[in-house]
Amino acid sequence: QVNLVESGGGLVQAGDSLRLSCAASGLPFSSYTMGWLRQAPGKEREFVARITQTGGITEYSDSVKGRFAISRDNAKNTVYLQMNSLKAEDTAVYYCAAQIGIGVRWNYRGQGTQVTVSS
């Protein structure tokens, strides 16, 4: 059984930083592209960032580029999302996700962690 467990969410003020973590189990972690998605209240889930198997390629949505950084530690089966200069519009439930290759569809997704940014 595949489990992706997010942690690190919380309530912060605009301009603050936060680091999310996602611990993966039940899958060959180093074989998967890992990523983060988010869903704000009343909006559809959207792509935030992804990182390929060895970390050689990263990709970000335009809305977070330059502020967020995704990284992974294959020895710990963990992927991270460092979020800096947070804005109120970053408020959302953040989901860890895993996929084979690179594409729109994600094979697995975690339960999510809430990030709330007060302005």
Side-chain angles (χ1 to χ4, degrees):
Q1 180 180 355
V2 174
N3 282 305
L4 303 177
V5 181
E6 302 94 338
S7 62
L11 172 63
V12 296
Q13 294 188 335
D16 284 352
S17 297
L18 207 57
R19 189 175 85 151
L20 305 183
S21 300
C22 170
S25 61
L27 79 170
F29 183 77
S30 61
S31 297
Y32 279 76
T33 293
M34 298 300 296
W36 291 92
L37 314 173
R38 70 184 182 186
Q39 187 166 18
K43 296 187 177 182
E44 293 188 354
R45 191 175 302 128
E46 64 174 358
F47 167 79
V48 175
R50 85 172 96 227
I51 184 167
T52 52
Q53 291 91 327
T54 61
I57 298 174
T58 57
E59 181 184 353
Y60 300 92
S61 67
D62 288 342
S63 61
V64 307
K65 198 174 297 182
R67 298 187 299 121
F68 289 14
I70 188 171
S71 61
R72 65 190 294 162
D73 185 338
N74 286 348
K76 296 182 178 180
N77 285 6
T78 301
V79 61
Y80 305 96
L81 185 67
Q82 177 67 43
M83 305 186 294
N84 300 324
S85 302
L86 282 161
K87 306 175 181 179
E89 49 264 43
D90 294 319
T91 294
V93 177
Y94 283 72
Y95 299 92
C96 175
Q99 68 183 180
I100 293 292
I102 297 176
V104 175
R105 185 176 177 274
W106 295 86
N107 299 96
Y108 303 103
R109 179 169 50 85
Q111 293 297 309
T113 185
Q114 176 70 47
V115 172
T116 303
V117 184
S118 64
S119 57

